[in-house]
Amino acid sequence: MSAKLNALNSDSYTDVSQYRDQHFKGNRYEQEKLLKQSNTLYVGNLSFYTTEEQVHELFSKSGDVKRIIIGLDKVKKTACGFCFVEYYTRADAEHAMRFINGTRLDDRIIRTDWDAGFKEGRQYGRGKSGGQVRDEYRQDYDPARGGYGKLAQQHRPTETRNSF
Amino acid sequence: MSRRRHSDENDGGQPHKRRRTSEPIEIEDRLESLICRVGEKSTSSLESNLEGLAGVLEADLPNYKNKILRILCAVARLLPEKLTVYTTLVGLLNARNYNFGGEFVEAMIRQLKETLKNNLYNEAVYLVRFLSDLVNCHVIAAPSMVAMFENFVSVTQEEDVPQVRSDWFVYVVLSCLPWVGKELYEKKDVEMDRLLSQIEGYLKRRVKTHVPMLQVWTAEKPHPQEEYLDCLWAQIQKLKKDRWQERHILRPYIAFDSVLCEALQHNLPPFTPPGHMPDAQYPMPRVIFRMFDYTDAPEGPVMPGSHSVERFVIEENLHCIIKTHWKERKTCAAQLLSYPGKNKIPLNYHIVEVIFGELFQLPSPPHIDVMYTTLLIELCKLQPGSLPQVLAQATEMLYMRLDTMNTTCIDRLINWFSHHLSNFQFRWSWDDWSDCLTVDLEKPKPKFVKEVLEKSMRLSYHQRIVDIVPPTFSALIPAEPIFIYKYDESASSLPGYAVTITVGNAIKNRASNEEILTILKEVPNPNQEDDDDEGESFNPLKIDVFLQTLLHLAAKSFSHSFSALGKFHEILKTLTDSDEGKLHILKVVYEVWRNHPQMISVLVDKMIRTQVVDCAAVANWLFSQDMAHEFTRLFIWEILHSTIRKMNKHVQKIQKELEEAKDKLEKQQHKRRDSGDDEEMDKNSEDEEGQLEEQIERLQEKVESAQSEQKNLFLVIFQRFIMLLTEHLVRCETGSVDISTPWYKNCIERLQQIFLMHHVTIQQYMGTLENLLFTAELDHHILAVYQQFCALQL
């Protein structure tokens, strides 16, 4: 009776994306299963200055937040622009995917994605310089994410090294 | 750096379904898609699309009749905003295949019975409306529809049934008339007149105690907040006066009139409304939200009046679109903006009104609050030249009417507006609101601005807020959210100061809990002349010294503070063993973090979850004299409601565990019965059953204990409200002062809010509440809230 119509059941904002964590310990099947059951979201494109408090305020709008882990530069141990948000229930995380993903935090459009679950070590950036990989190679200037990408910084003349 | 794409690999993940074109599942999907998307994205007219689809389906009937029936029944129920599109389709099919038409009607009746049985009253309305529009398509004979309506209205003659039951049957009939009133009146005007007169009689004798509790504004001007049946009745009356001429509804079947009027019609089988069952959950009454009228849309098409049937139809359809597409904000926004007939109405105004109507709906919005924020942002993206202006106009209007707006609705407005602004760099013409600076800061307007700025700060940072408002607004800017440490260098003369140094060092040097407790024994107890040997009794100074020091060291972030609470959980449990201890720890948390309400909220949440404090302690703390000066601030109520929700979820969790254990036992018992005479298996089974039975007993006790705690929590909260309100009312009476202060309005509406937000849970305790608390001796102002609440369920 409660026949659902597949054509009307679209909930595309909660679909799993194409990204897969290459460091995931386990096979593809296990990863898929965890992603489908997960209560944890990866949040990307944060400003380096965005605080845990701001993340908590925004993500609490879709439900009770269990914990937030701010992503850190592996070398500097400072925020490097991503975090994990874990909810108590999957339903709350789904609401975040539907209504918080793609909106602004600290004036930046943030992106959320399903995560297989936080494990110690995953709070660190995996770029060579210690931050996120995306900050190694990008060419644009982003003042909220350390300015130019790391590779581009190496090619810049000594304008940043003047010390008077 | 390679990012291997998921779809390139095939190493044991989910096998990709490769379907052959003739597989049944694929055909069903194709049919669903054809039917659900008829008319969308097509260069041809809707009529020619329908004609084409009717031909396709007619050809498919021999093989896929049941599937087609199922899909059509589903769209009737799930796509009410496209009602007339599908009734036309059914009409065309009926004209080509009379038997199919008959089977469809039968299937719809079956579905109607099912939905009513399953308490899906809102969907049942759509089914009946569909059937009634089938009269216009010559599928159903008008007299048989009238007969069904007569049966529905006869429910108003039933005795000893909840009013919401007869309400629903009347609502269904009235809400079909915009679609089918004309046709029914042409065929059966005498019967219809009698029907309407019966309805009128019923509406006159209906009890409307519940209305004040559901109104967004208490003022009648500029737009009365009408009870939903009253409004619909006025709209139908006007429609009747206009001789049932209705020009807004899109009616594709008119183009096919020559074909359809050749079709043979079916009679609806006599339909007896199912009797009232005790567990029936009829829809709650509503108040119609109105904030715009024709004077508000400056140019362009005129907004239909509040009692025009067009207004009803537009609002119905917009609500249905949101209901269908709320999970997909881009689609939802696009569907709203492509509303058929949009050129004849100020669509942006209707959309904004409907969205705010849902957001402010009492007791609660149909969907999660944040959905509406994101939907409005999406709409602004799609109509950047017009919608933001309407939204700004709406915000301005809502601000101007804050004085009479329900406190719960103001809460939602605060949350919406601050979140919305954070997506648009907090740009707002604050100067336009400088009138709020000239009145008492406890009045609704300055209070609103203050709370908005506080919430905006949470989403950004303090300096940002200073920068975005004019300097004249400085009194409304929130405090900088910094820790207030009592035991800083200047406080060396305070009792306990020395111990804070020792304890602080101990914590930094990772001392054990025992070592720290030993250090704390040195703290004198201001409550006693001499310390008892154990120093076990409640010592507020000890709590103060330890907690202030700990939280000071951990003040850097939420994570630091949570980690601190976790590490020293044992010590905290020891210190808060008594009720006084629990109350005092909350007091200290407030004292140190009183400039950072967000931190207070998350710490209280953590302390409840780790059982350092219990829910009743939090309630008592919020209502205590110490917190009286904060009583009207939003964060207080967010903490209280969050506390109640945690309590409710806790009870539900244990109830679920109990149910699962009972199911397990039942399964085990079945297994034993079916397993035959194997003695060894029998014995193992018996053991398992014994264990399960023990577990069930323990869980039963846990459930009872949790329910008792829950009941106690509500009793504490209601008792406190009654005490505070009575005190105020008595004081005003003896002083011959008007009771309606801003504080009173806030307090009485907060009491209402408790009822509304937790009505499902509170239902269980009505007996106790009525016997112990909400008795006839209570001041009538307070009792009225309780009576209005009861009226919601009658």
Side-chain angles (χ1 to χ4, degrees):
Chain A
M1 196 292 305
S2 46
K4 295 236 165 179
L5 291 173
N6 291 333
L8 294 181
N9 247 8
S10 185
D11 194 7
S12 60
Y13 282 85
T14 60
D15 288 344
V16 180
S17 77
Q18 304 280 43
Y19 174 83
R20 292 294 176 274
D21 179 6
Q22 298 307 323
H23 293 211
F24 177 76
K25 304 252 185 334
N27 66 36
R28 178 54 51 84
Y29 176 71
E30 286 163 357
Q31 196 176 46
E32 296 306 308
K33 187 155 171 251
L34 285 173
L35 289 173
K36 283 215 156 64
Q37 301 167 340
S38 174
N39 297 349
T40 305
L41 299 178
Y42 162 88
V43 184
N45 200 38
L46 296 178
S47 152
F48 284 11
Y49 307 104
T50 298
T51 60
E52 187 188 347
E53 285 77 354
Q54 286 169 289
V55 173
H56 193 280
E57 177 69 13
L58 182 61
F59 282 84
S60 293
K61 291 183 186 296
S62 74
D64 290 339
V65 169
K66 187 169 177 185
R67 79 177 153 160
I68 294 169
I69 296 134
I70 298 285
L72 301 174
D73 182 301
K74 195 162 192 161
V75 174
K76 300 190 204 135
K77 301 294 199 290
T78 53
C80 69
F82 74 98
C83 73
F84 296 103
V85 176
E86 188 188 340
Y87 288 93
Y88 288 100
T89 68
R90 166 106 185 161
D92 291 344
E94 286 178 352
H95 280 324
M97 289 288 287
R98 293 183 191 116
F99 307 121
I100 299 178
N101 185 16
T103 66
R104 290 184 192 268
L105 176 56
D106 241 352
D107 296 318
R108 301 171 67 86
I109 302 275
I110 57 168
R111 192 180 62 82
T112 66
D113 197 2
W114 292 109
D115 187 81
F118 176 74
K119 288 245 166 6
E120 181 56 36
R122 296 191 67 232
Q123 71 270 41
Y124 296 112
R126 293 173 180 167
K128 273 198 291 262
S129 315
Q132 287 198 282
V133 170
R134 59 199 295 252
D135 290 310
E136 290 289 318
Y137 300 102
R138 62 178 174 77
Q139 299 290 318
D140 62 318
Y141 181 78
D142 189 345
R145 288 183 72 102
Y148 287 102
K150 292 291 180 239
L151 210 61
Q153 275 179 26
Q154 289 172 24
H155 295 308
R156 297 249 133 213
T158 53
E159 53 190 284
T160 54
R161 295 208 291 267
N162 288 333
S163 46
F164 285 99
Chain B
M1 170 74 200
S2 72
R3 273 162 137 270
R4 283 174 288 165
R5 288 175 68 77
H6 166 56
S7 51
D8 292 348
E9 305 226 332
N10 197 11
D11 58 348
Q14 296 264 292
H16 187 57
K17 281 203 195 107
R18 307 244 304 135
R19 296 183 186 140
R20 278 164 281 121
T21 45
S22 56
E23 271 199 36
I25 297 172
E26 174 134 322
I27 304 244
E28 188 154 338
D29 280 348
R30 188 179 68 85
L31 285 172
E32 264 188 34
S33 182
L34 278 176
I35 293 172
C36 290
R37 302 198 201 296
V38 66
E40 282 178 27
K41 298 190 178 105
S42 170
T43 45
S44 331
S45 69
L46 175 63
E47 284 77 8
S48 91
N49 276 314
L50 281 171
E51 176 112 57
L53 181 57
V56 167
L57 293 178
E58 190 194 0
D60 279 335
L61 279 181
N63 294 322
Y64 301 108
K65 182 184 67 170
N66 285 329
K67 289 197 201 316
I68 293 172
L69 273 176
R70 187 186 67 79
I71 296 168
L72 289 174
C73 281
V75 297
R77 193 167 48 89
L78 300 171
L79 284 177
E81 62 270 24
K82 291 172 80 175
L83 171 67
T84 51
V85 170
Y86 294 113
T87 52
T88 305
L89 182 62
V90 173
L92 292 172
L93 288 172
N94 180 57
R96 296 162 189 240
N97 188 322
Y98 177 77
N99 286 335
F100 178 77
E103 285 187 68
F104 177 76
V105 172
E106 277 169 22
M108 283 288 282
I109 294 292
R110 275 199 303 274
Q111 192 180 209
L112 178 59
K113 291 195 172 122
E114 276 292 302
T115 49
L116 288 175
K117 205 164 87 176
N118 291 314
N119 281 319
L120 296 170
Y121 288 94
N122 292 327
E123 291 187 356
V125 172
Y126 305 143
L127 293 176
V128 177
R129 212 179 275 165
F130 197 95
L131 290 171
S132 70
D133 200 46
L134 285 178
V135 172
N136 293 324
C137 301
H138 298 262
V139 178
I140 291 178
S144 68
M145 196 72 225
V146 175
M148 180 183 249
F149 284 172
E150 283 171 344
N151 280 346
F152 280 10
V153 174
S154 68
V155 171
T156 59
Q157 304 302 316
E158 287 177 7
E159 290 180 357
D160 294 325
V161 292
Q163 184 174 280
V164 284
R165 170 179 161 84
S166 27
D167 279 354
W168 185 81
F169 285 97
V170 165
Y171 175 75
V172 168
V173 172
L174 289 177
S175 77
C176 292
L177 295 183
W179 280 266
V180 76
K182 181 154 184 275
E183 188 67 22
L184 294 184
Y185 248 83
E186 270 171 24
K187 299 275 159 51
K188 288 271 175 184
D189 62 334
V190 171
E191 285 81 354
M192 289 302 292
D193 269 335
R194 201 184 319 138
L195 212 60
L196 287 186
S197 138
Q198 266 184 295
I199 291 176
E200 184 171 21
Y202 171 72
L203 292 176
K204 283 210 178 94
R205 58 175 200 268
R206 266 179 94 225
V207 168
K208 292 194 285 203
T209 323
H210 55 274
V211 174
M213 203 175 216
L214 302 177
Q215 287 175 318
V216 172
W217 291 285
T218 52
E220 281 289 299
K221 290 192 185 351
H223 307 294
Q225 302 293 290
E226 284 183 287
E227 213 265 355
Y228 78 114
L229 275 182
D230 289 342
C231 186
L232 183 53
W233 176 247
Q235 288 162 332
I236 299 300
Q237 290 284 83
K238 184 161 184 298
L239 179 62
K240 182 174 174 200
K241 230 189 258 165
D242 292 341
R243 289 168 331 133
W244 304 99
Q245 298 301 324
E246 187 289 319
R247 285 177 231 287
H248 177 81
I249 297 174
L250 185 77
R251 297 178 195 257
Y253 39 81
I254 293 178
F256 295 104
D257 198 45
S258 52
V259 168
L260 294 177
C261 69
E262 297 290 310
L264 290 173
Q265 297 170 311
H266 304 267
N267 281 319
L268 277 174
F271 187 92
T272 320
H276 172 62
M277 303 294 284
D279 61 345
Q281 287 156 29
Y282 304 102
M284 248 197 245
R286 285 171 287 128
V287 163
I288 301 297
F289 178 81
R290 288 282 159 66
M291 64 179 292
F292 290 132
D293 62 32
Y294 72 95
T295 62
D296 295 307
E299 321 137 339
V302 173
M303 191 170 221
S306 60
H307 284 169
S308 71
V309 89
E310 283 76 22
R311 196 70 177 264
F312 172 77
V313 172
I314 294 164
E315 287 167 0
E316 263 297 284
N317 285 337
L318 293 178
H319 282 299
C320 288
I321 292 172
I322 296 175
K323 186 161 185 252
T324 304
H325 299 288
W326 68 274
K327 288 186 198 163
E328 302 242 344
R329 65 211 209 207
K330 280 195 174 63
T331 309
C332 194
Q335 289 285 334
L336 286 170
L337 289 170
S338 58
Y339 180 72
K342 61 188 176 177
N343 296 321
K344 304 203 203 100
I345 55 174
L347 181 60
N348 285 342
Y349 285 87
H350 285 291
I351 291 175
V352 168
E353 189 178 67
V354 162
I355 288 177
F356 277 127
E358 289 202 8
L359 180 63
F360 296 138
Q361 186 176 301
L362 296 166
S364 34
H367 306 288
I368 188 172
D369 294 34
V370 69
M371 184 279 282
Y372 299 103
T373 310
T374 312
L375 179 59
L376 283 169
I377 292 174
E378 216 47 54
L379 287 163
C380 283
K381 272 196 218 156
L382 289 177
Q383 295 265 284
S386 56
L387 206 119
Q389 290 86 322
V390 176
L391 201 50
Q393 187 182 352
T395 308
E396 182 64 40
M397 289 167 82
L398 293 169
Y399 169 81
M400 295 216 301
R401 299 178 201 170
L402 280 171
D403 287 333
T404 55
M405 193 184 217
N406 182 298
T407 302
T408 304
C409 300
I410 298 181
D411 288 352
R412 297 186 201 157
L413 182 59
I414 290 165
N415 284 321
W416 167 73
F417 189 48
S418 52
H419 187 191
H420 180 85
L421 284 180
S422 76
N423 273 273
F424 295 96
Q425 298 109 35
F426 295 106
R427 273 179 281 124
W428 183 250
S429 46
W430 299 98
D431 273 317
D432 290 352
W433 288 356
S434 47
D435 63 323
C436 78
L437 302 169
T438 59
V439 296
D440 168 19
L441 293 187
E442 277 299 304
K443 283 247 152 92
K445 280 182 186 165
K447 203 156 185 9
F448 167 75
V449 173
K450 209 157 176 265
E451 297 282 3
V452 164
L453 293 179
E454 198 179 303
K455 284 281 169 147
S456 299
M457 183 177 72
R458 293 195 196 188
L459 289 167
S460 58
Y461 48 95
H462 187 259
Q463 187 57 42
R464 189 79 192 278
I465 304 304
V466 173
D467 291 340
I468 61 164
V469 293
T472 42
F473 276 68
S474 55
L476 300 179
I477 294 175
E480 230 189 304
I482 39 187
F483 189 93
I484 299 172
Y485 190 41
K486 186 170 166 185
Y487 298 102
D488 60 5
E489 305 81 46
S490 64
S492 51
S493 57
L494 287 178
Y497 174 80
V499 186
T500 66
I501 308 288
T502 330
V503 160
N505 288 330
I507 293 172
K508 280 186 254 186
N509 293 326
R510 301 173 200 275
S512 71
N513 285 350
E514 290 76 34
E515 289 166 337
I516 294 180
L517 278 170
T518 311
I519 296 171
L520 288 174
K521 281 212 180 97
E522 294 162 32
V523 178
N525 190 337
N527 287 350
Q528 292 177 310
E529 277 86 52
D530 50 83
D531 279 359
D532 51 60
D533 346 328
E534 305 301 307
E536 289 297 335
S537 61
F538 166 57
N539 182 343
L541 189 57
K542 198 191 277 195
I543 295 177
D544 203 44
V545 160
F546 177 67
L547 196 56
Q548 287 239 7
T549 309
L550 180 65
L551 291 180
H552 184 219
L553 289 170
K556 186 157 184 237
S557 75
F558 287 178
S559 286
H560 286 85
S561 297
F562 294 160
S563 175
L565 289 181
K567 239 188 234 156
F568 298 99
H569 183 250
E570 289 310 310
I571 298 184
L572 292 170
K573 287 282 281 185
T574 312
L575 292 174
T576 59
D577 202 32
S578 60
D579 282 346
E580 309 151 295
K582 292 184 171 70
L583 209 55
H584 198 75
I585 199 177
L586 292 164
K587 204 170 154 184
V588 175
V589 167
Y590 170 74
E591 292 212 354
V592 296
W593 278 121
R594 57 189 184 269
N595 287 333
H596 198 346
Q598 192 195 10
M599 176 67 96
I600 297 176
S601 307
V602 302
L603 288 179
V604 171
D605 175 81
K606 206 46 108 183
M607 292 195 294
I608 293 176
R609 290 186 192 270
T610 54
Q611 297 174 317
V612 171
V613 298
D614 57 27
C615 295
V618 174
N620 276 316
W621 163 62
L622 292 171
F623 279 95
S624 70
Q625 192 49 41
D626 287 333
M627 296 299 282
H629 63 293
E630 303 280 38
F631 195 69
T632 57
R633 281 181 71 185
L634 180 51
F635 83 93
I636 296 290
W637 301 98
E638 288 182 337
I639 294 177
L640 183 60
H641 286 289
S642 169
T643 304
I644 299 173
R645 276 199 306 271
K646 279 192 275 284
M647 181 80 249
N648 295 346
K649 284 196 184 140
H650 175 66
V651 172
Q652 281 165 10
K653 182 161 163 270
I654 310 181
Q655 281 172 331
K656 191 160 167 244
E657 283 173 28
L658 177 61
E659 288 310 303
E660 283 167 1
K662 282 187 175 159
D663 284 341
K664 249 174 112 177
L665 180 64
E666 219 182 289
K667 281 203 183 90
Q668 191 64 29
Q669 286 168 333
H670 279 294
K671 240 172 85 178
R672 188 148 72 91
R673 264 198 293 270
D674 299 338
S675 71
D677 294 312
D678 185 333
E679 265 196 45
E680 202 184 311
M681 260 185 81
D682 244 17
K683 176 90 183 24
N684 289 340
S685 221
E686 256 185 65
D687 285 340
E688 264 203 63
E689 279 179 39
Q691 278 179 8
L692 279 172
E693 276 164 5
E694 259 182 57
Q695 191 189 26
I696 289 176
E697 223 183 282
R698 269 181 283 122
L699 283 173
Q700 194 80 46
E701 278 172 27
K702 256 180 110 177
V703 165
E704 281 163 17
S705 160
Q707 282 175 330
S708 166
E709 198 188 331
Q710 183 183 54
K711 183 162 146 188
N712 183 55
L713 176 61
F714 280 110
L715 285 179
V716 164
I717 293 171
F718 285 130
Q719 266 165 349
R720 295 296 214 138
F721 264 116
I722 291 175
M723 273 161 47
L724 280 174
L725 285 165
T726 309
E727 227 179 81
H728 171 84
L729 289 165
V730 164
R731 208 179 324 123
C732 288
E733 214 177 304
T734 44
S736 303
V737 165
D738 184 16
I739 60 166
S740 301
T741 60
W743 180 91
Y744 174 74
K745 178 179 187 287
N746 178 84
C747 192
I748 197 102
E749 286 178 0
R750 291 295 179 194
L751 172 59
Q752 264 179 7
Q753 192 184 33
I754 303 283
F755 280 113
L756 288 176
M757 278 179 71
H758 308 285
H759 62 93
V760 175
T761 318
I762 293 174
Q763 283 293 96
Q764 307 163 51
Y765 303 122
M766 296 295 272
T768 312
L769 292 177
E770 200 152 326
N771 289 333
L772 285 186
L773 297 175
F774 294 96
T775 59
E777 288 92 51
L778 216 52
D779 185 299
H780 68 274
H781 292 97
I782 310 174
L783 200 53
V785 173
Y786 179 71
Q787 287 164 342
Q788 285 164 19
F789 173 69
C790 295
L792 283 180
Q793 314 302 317
L794 288 173

